[in-house]
Amino acid sequence: MSVTEMFSYIQAFLSADQEIRADVLLQDIRKVVQVLEQTAREILTLLQSVHQPSGFKEIPSKCTKAKELFCTVRTQLGELKNKFPVEQYYRFHEHWRFVLQRLAFLAAFEVYLESACLMTRDEVAQILGIEVVRKKGFHLDVEDYLAGVLIMASELSRLAVNSVTAGDFGRPLRISNELDSGFRLLNLKNDPLRKRYDGLKYDVEKIEVVYDLSIRGLTKEQEAGGNK
């Protein structure tokens, strides 16, 4: 065997070994992501129960249980960020991008239910136990945070409709005005984010229509009661 042939053989061996290691790494990442997705579904199911008839009364207990599940999320994300080198975050980002956006939404939604406040990116990252600075490794990307907020906007439009039904006529306008005015300040270049923001505008319109119809219905009921 010539020197050239020998080193060609070695290169082929190294390439095959690297492919095997990459496959094993991806499998490990996917396993953790699958577990994360399951935990996210549990939190989603828990928090969406506030839309039920007795949901508003159960918000404190639901949020307490959600916080316990976020402890599990932090542990699972800790496992995930140890699966790959810090500098290779964006190499594998697509594998956990969706679940991280959903977790950002769930963290923001849980806090909104408690305080009616929108969480900052730093606060969401703190709940998830990850960083906001890219150089520090596993972090909450700005676009992932914004995507999570937009997912929450859709959930809040549903909450607004239910709140009007429950007699809370102020919540819908607070929700729609705050989120819509905030996103109007952004010049969104990211196509998926832009599409989600277009969805937010429809959600705002839906909230305003429901609010308007509810107020008109309430006024008519009051007038009918007065006539009696």
Side-chain angles (χ1 to χ4, degrees):
M1 180 182 293
S2 67
V3 173
T4 302
E5 291 173 335
M6 180 179 68
F7 277 91
S8 295
Y9 172 79
I10 292 174
Q11 179 57 46
F13 175 80
L14 290 174
S15 297
D17 184 57
Q18 288 174 352
E19 289 179 5
I20 292 173
R21 291 184 182 185
D23 288 342
V24 171
L25 178 58
L26 283 176
Q27 288 176 8
D28 289 344
I29 289 174
R30 286 168 182 161
K31 286 179 182 178
V32 179
V33 169
Q34 286 175 354
V35 175
L36 265 173
E37 289 172 341
Q38 177 58 38
T39 306
R41 283 192 291 269
E42 292 178 21
I43 299 174
L44 179 62
T45 301
L46 179 66
L47 293 181
Q48 282 189 330
S49 64
V50 301
H51 297 301
Q52 297 174 359
S54 60
F56 284 94
K57 296 179 181 179
E58 297 176 353
I59 284 178
S61 63
K62 300 298 182 182
C63 288
T64 298
K65 292 179 181 178
K67 288 177 181 177
E68 295 173 359
L69 287 171
F70 275 114
C71 292
T72 303
V73 167
R74 287 192 287 273
T75 300
Q76 293 167 349
L77 283 173
E79 294 177 9
L80 179 58
K81 63 186 179 183
N82 290 327
K83 294 293 182 182
F84 59 92
V86 170
E87 66 276 6
Q88 294 186 13
Y89 177 89
Y90 283 104
R91 176 184 176 186
F92 304 104
H93 179 237
E94 284 300 312
H95 294 283
W96 60 72
R97 179 174 59 88
F98 177 76
V99 70
L100 195 58
Q101 290 176 359
R102 172 165 285 193
L103 288 169
F105 142 59
L106 292 170
F109 186 44
E110 184 271 316
V111 171
Y112 191 93
L113 288 173
E114 282 190 313
S115 62
C117 294
L118 177 62
M119 295 193 75
T120 65
R121 178 180 163 220
D122 294 63
E123 291 169 335
V124 172
Q126 185 175 6
I127 286 181
L128 300 181
I130 57 180
E131 305 289 343
V132 291
V133 180
R134 177 176 178 175
K135 292 181 179 179
K136 292 186 178 181
F138 201 101
H139 62 285
L140 180 60
D141 186 274
V142 175
E143 293 185 350
D144 288 340
Y145 164 72
L146 291 176
V149 171
L150 285 170
I151 296 171
M152 184 184 73
S154 296
E155 194 70 28
L156 290 181
S157 72
R158 182 182 174 193
L159 183 70
V161 173
N162 292 335
S163 68
V164 169
T165 304
D168 183 355
F169 299 99
R171 186 187 297 264
L173 290 183
R174 290 197 303 271
I175 292 173
S176 60
N177 290 338
E178 289 174 5
L179 287 176
D180 188 43
S181 61
F183 273 92
R184 284 181 184 275
L185 298 175
L186 303 178
N187 182 19
L188 297 175
K189 301 292 186 181
N190 180 295
D191 287 341
L193 278 179
R194 184 70 205 181
K195 290 178 181 177
R196 284 189 181 276
Y197 173 61
D198 289 339
L200 170 62
K201 290 187 286 187
Y202 290 118
D203 288 333
V204 170
E205 290 176 3
K206 181 173 71 174
I207 291 171
E208 291 174 345
V209 168
V210 171
Y211 179 81
D212 187 51
L213 291 176
S214 299
I215 291 297
R216 289 181 184 181
L218 180 64
T219 303
K220 289 180 180 179
E221 288 180 5
Q222 291 176 337
E223 290 177 350
N227 292 332
K228 292 179 182 179

